[in-house]
Amino acid sequence: MDLLAPRHLFKWSLEHGVVPSSMKATYVSSILKKADMDLNEAKSYRPISNLSVLSKLLERLVGKQLMNYLRDNRLLQDLQSAFRVHHSTETAVLKEMSDILLAPDIGNLAVLTLLDLSAAFDSVDHSVLLRRLQKSYGIHGAVLKWFKSYLTERIAVCLYADD
């Protein structure tokens, strides 16, 4: 196998703003949530989605380049924790706890509201996301075209285990 082939494919993809359709396929299989659950009940299973290795590598490359662009152009909020080095859920929680504990000391009231965003990425409107990338973050040309290509015409292939 030509080890340079993925590099050339990624370079072509980024230059032309096109994600090959073979890299948009997700292979979905189901696994039992717990060993003691009913094998005949659909709710006993959870779906597992798998992308190809090349697709994951391309995503990682684009993610790294995007984060570098956002950081270098100071487009990230100071308290943005996700996908940043030395930032985590733990640091975000510690910041909130600190603010809550300090509020009464300076005469303020602290109220904490929690929101479950576990499926947030599944509910993002792609047209709004693309418009936001363009207007708020200056993403345009082949890069914006690449993101549009990445988000459209994706397929899920369901894999079933033999009985």
Side-chain angles (χ1 to χ4, degrees):
M1 177 178 145
D2 179 9
L3 295 177
L4 294 178
R7 189 172 110 192
H8 293 299
L9 176 63
F10 295 167
K11 186 175 187 279
W12 179 89
S13 174
L14 295 171
E15 286 176 352
H16 291 88
V18 175
V19 178
S21 56
S22 63
M23 293 182 152
K24 295 183 188 185
T26 301
Y27 300 94
V28 183
S29 57
S30 296
I31 65 166
L32 195 59
K33 291 179 181 178
K34 295 180 183 175
D36 62 343
M37 296 189 85
D38 185 354
L39 299 174
N40 297 315
E41 289 285 330
K43 65 182 179 183
S44 299
Y45 296 88
R46 73 168 177 252
I48 302 295
S49 299
N50 292 298
L51 297 169
S52 72
V53 172
L54 287 179
S55 181
K56 289 181 182 182
L57 289 172
L58 181 58
E59 285 180 14
R60 185 170 290 175
L61 172 68
V62 170
K64 197 173 238 184
Q65 289 181 350
L66 178 61
M67 288 306 291
N68 287 340
Y69 169 80
L70 295 173
R71 186 190 64 245
D72 293 349
N73 290 284
R74 299 184 175 276
L75 296 170
L76 292 173
Q77 298 292 320
D78 290 337
L79 296 177
Q80 166 73 37
S81 291
F83 310 108
R84 292 179 74 181
V85 176
H86 306 298
H87 292 75
S88 66
T89 305
E90 186 177 347
T91 58
V93 169
L94 289 172
K95 168 73 170 108
E96 292 306 314
M97 286 299 299
S98 174
D99 290 350
I100 290 168
L101 293 171
L102 290 174
D105 292 343
I106 58 173
N108 290 335
L109 177 67
V111 177
L112 176 64
T113 303
L114 301 174
L115 177 63
D116 179 8
L117 297 175
S118 58
F121 288 116
D122 297 334
S123 60
V124 171
D125 183 312
H126 294 171
S127 61
V128 172
L129 174 61
L130 292 168
R131 193 167 48 254
R132 181 81 190 259
L133 285 171
Q134 185 176 25
K135 303 243 184 245
S136 299
Y137 297 101
I139 308 282
H140 58 276
V143 178
L144 186 64
K145 186 178 170 189
W146 187 93
F147 279 106
K148 183 175 183 181
S149 175
Y150 177 83
L151 293 169
T152 58
E153 299 176 8
R154 300 191 70 84
I155 62 166
V157 178
C158 294
L159 306 173
Y160 296 98
D162 293 336
D163 290 45

